[in-house]
Amino acid sequence: MPSVKLANNNLRHSQRIYSINYPRGIWKFNYNPIFQGYYVGDLYFGQNLVNAFTIPVTSGSSGGLVVDIDGNLTGIIHSYMNEFQNIALGASLSQIKNILNVSNYILSLNKKEIDYKFNNEYMFFKNMIIATSTKSI
């Protein structure tokens, strides 16, 4: 099965990026919508970093990959700004790496520890979403 490689470096301001997602749940065999846009910077909500991209998004775009020109994963879309539908917000490369590290760690725990860790991580992300004035997609 093909895999996605993580980018080695964080995005540069105005770097061209691409997103592969299925807005509004539209999915068909051999249908792979690819959107292009630009990385426009980081937004901080409290201590949480969010990457901003100029990519058209709507409900169903959540979880869409953001890749650079070489196809390396640089972000994952999670929401958009209510006022600007073409501003997508997503997890940064460092957040993705942290999630992968936490996932690997959780897989090494027993069930009791997993339930505890999952609930804490869930509350962290829930509070992060509530702290932003974004529309979850």
Side-chain angles (χ1 to χ4, degrees):
M1 171 173 277
S3 61
V4 176
K5 291 184 179 181
L6 292 177
N8 291 324
N9 301 310
N10 291 325
L11 291 167
R12 296 178 322 278
H13 194 271
S14 300
Q15 183 174 342
R16 185 180 299 267
I17 47 90
Y18 302 89
S19 177
I20 303 165
N21 62 66
Y22 298 92
R24 300 273 182 205
I26 299 169
W27 184 89
K28 301 217 185 277
F29 185 71
N30 288 329
Y31 171 73
N32 299 301
I34 299 173
F35 303 96
Q36 69 177 344
Y38 296 92
Y39 167 71
V40 293
D42 300 330
L43 301 175
Y44 289 91
F45 293 100
Q47 296 179 2
N48 300 312
L49 173 71
V50 178
N51 283 349
F53 311 100
T54 58
I55 302 173
V57 293
T58 189
S59 297
S61 299
S62 183
L65 302 180
V66 177
V67 297
D68 62 19
I69 190 75
D70 298 316
N72 298 312
L73 182 65
T74 60
I76 298 175
I77 294 173
H78 61 64
S79 55
Y80 62 90
M81 298 180 76
N82 290 331
E83 298 82 13
F84 306 100
Q85 276 195 342
N86 287 340
I87 301 291
L89 304 176
S92 67
L93 182 59
S94 62
Q95 287 174 322
I96 294 168
K97 288 178 180 179
N98 286 339
I99 290 168
L100 291 173
N101 289 335
V102 168
S103 297
N104 287 332
Y105 173 71
I106 289 175
L107 290 174
S108 71
L109 301 175
N110 66 41
K111 172 138 177 45
K112 191 175 196 180
E113 291 172 312
I114 289 174
D115 290 340
Y116 175 77
K117 295 286 184 186
F118 175 78
N119 288 331
N120 285 342
E121 290 296 321
Y122 171 77
M123 290 307 296
F124 168 77
F125 286 110
K126 181 178 178 185
N127 290 335
M128 183 175 84
I129 291 170
I130 290 170
T132 64
S133 59
T134 62
K135 183 175 181 180
S136 182
I137 51 177

